[in-house]
Amino acid sequence: MTSHSLITRARRLADDLLTPHAEQVDQEGVPATHIEAIKQSGLLGVSAPVSYGGSAAPGAVARETAEILAGACCSTWFVQTQHHTPVMTLTKSELPVRESLLGPLARGELMSGVAYAHLRAYPRVPVRVTRERGGWRFDGTVPWYTGWGLNDVMLLAGVTDADEALFAFTEAREQPGLRPSTPMRLAALTASRTVSLELNDFWLPDDAVALRTPYAEWARIDRPKPTNASPAVFGVAAAALALLDDDTADPLRTRLDEVRKAAYALAEHPVPHEHLAERLALRTQAYEVLMTATTAAVVAGGGRSLSLTSRAQRLAREALFLLVQGQTAESRAAHLKALADS
């Protein structure tokens, strides 16, 4: 475990607010007060540059704070985790929007959502971007957008006619040409306020653009990201193990620590495109421990685990969600093969 002030803040937030209210949030939705507490904690700037008000903390700190938040309240973690991709996109951007938004996002004055996972469906193009009137027109459907009504801004992406990936910021609200669905009812994380977005002649100016790059280049950089095990998996698994007696939990905790150590060592590897098969194998192994841990928690709770007030059943449903969160065709195939071979 790492010693850092942000980790201390994350643990305090988890102990004092997130964990005590997690079952209520699961049933009623992430409240604005939770988001305000996240904003004030400094955790939204964990990886942002110090010069813009962030902490520029090491990757190990970002991963551990994510574990803590996810293990305490996975719905709240999932809403706030969307924020970190826009921050890192702006950190690497040289376009004007960096100066207007990076500081407020790094300091937690604003929170951003993301609407870009559909890019991974290429060559299918769910959102097409067309040059128009000195700006860009977005048309299509964003299948998943998390944090509607909680986020201040969003990072919206699509593919241009020239096969470029284009990312631009806009306010996270209904606007002419941008219409949200009703919030989705999901088996897990309904609390995260996830909607789909219909885009019809939705126009954004040039100065909203944060990234414009050939799709192949974006995909090359993006490809390793979904191959790594998510810190949330380790956080939810640890929370489930905490519900068990030591005789049951200790062997699983040892296995979890082994997989975590190996997965995080690869996450720190200086060449992200190397060891992809090993990364996917460790991702699958992390899932195996997660499902065993959450199943054990349900079994240990007996019939009480079927109550919606049961922490064990909430964690088990969150584990199901994490099985497919960030999933790509490549990670799905690796996971299914591992299941078939077991």
Side-chain angles (χ1 to χ4, degrees), residues 108-254:
E109 296 164 7
L110 299 175
M111 189 171 74
S112 181
V114 292
Y116 82 94
H118 51 275
L119 290 184
R120 293 171 180 156
Y122 190 88
R124 188 167 59 85
V125 179
V127 176
R128 174 66 68 185
V129 185
T130 308
R131 186 70 173 159
E132 184 176 285
R133 293 182 285 124
W136 300 92
R137 190 185 79 230
F138 291 75
D139 293 282
T141 301
V142 175
W144 304 92
Y145 179 84
T146 292
W148 186 257
L150 296 170
N151 296 317
D152 302 294
V153 297
M154 74 169 78
L155 182 60
L156 173 64
V159 177
T160 71
D161 293 335
D163 273 346
E164 300 164 308
L166 187 143
F167 290 70
F169 280 93
T170 185
E171 293 182 42
R173 61 176 177 82
E174 186 167 358
Q175 306 173 53
L178 188 160
R179 183 171 57 87
S181 70
T182 56
M184 298 181 187
R185 293 290 299 169
L186 305 171
L189 274 71
T190 286
S192 65
R193 303 198 195 184
T194 296
V195 298
S196 62
L197 301 175
E198 290 298 325
L199 305 170
N200 184 15
D201 292 336
F202 180 60
W203 184 87
L204 289 175
D206 272 334
D207 60 11
V209 175
L211 175 66
R212 181 183 171 192
T213 188
Y215 178 86
E217 177 62 16
W218 176 83
R220 183 188 68 81
I221 295 171
D222 177 70
R223 186 190 175 207
K225 296 176 184 177
T227 66
N228 290 312
S230 167
V233 170
F234 300 111
V236 172
L241 294 178
L243 301 178
L244 304 174
D245 61 60
D246 289 344
D247 287 343
T248 306
D250 285 349
L252 292 173
R253 190 171 287 114
T254 297

Side-chain angles (χ1 to χ4, degrees), residues 25-36:
V25 167
D26 177 61
Q27 294 301 306
E28 298 178 6
V30 176
T33 49
H34 274 39
I35 299 306
E36 188 59 32

Side-chain angles (χ1 to χ4, degrees), residues 289-328:
V289 183
L290 171 68
M291 298 310 294
T292 301
T294 53
T295 299
V298 169
V299 172
R304 295 184 304 276
S305 296
L306 298 182
S307 169
L308 290 178
T309 61
S310 162
R311 182 156 297 170
Q313 63 80 27
R314 172 178 61 81
L315 294 170
R317 287 187 292 104
E318 290 171 353
L320 289 175
F321 170 83
L322 291 173
L323 288 180
V324 297
Q325 188 256 329
Q327 186 185 66
T328 64

Side-chain angles (χ1 to χ4, degrees), residues 70 78 87 101 104 134 228-229 278 290 292 300 314 326 332-333:
F78 190 53
V87 167
L101 277 182
N228 290 312
E278 187 177 353
L290 171 68
T292 301
R314 172 178 61 81
R332 181 188 302 113

Side-chain angles (χ1 to χ4, degrees), residues 64-86:
E64 191 164 344
T65 56
E67 284 186 29
I68 293 167
L69 297 182
C73 178
C74 198
S75 293
T76 301
W77 162 80
F78 190 53
V79 171
Q80 68 81 43
T81 201
Q82 315 296 317
H83 178 88
H84 302 291
T85 294

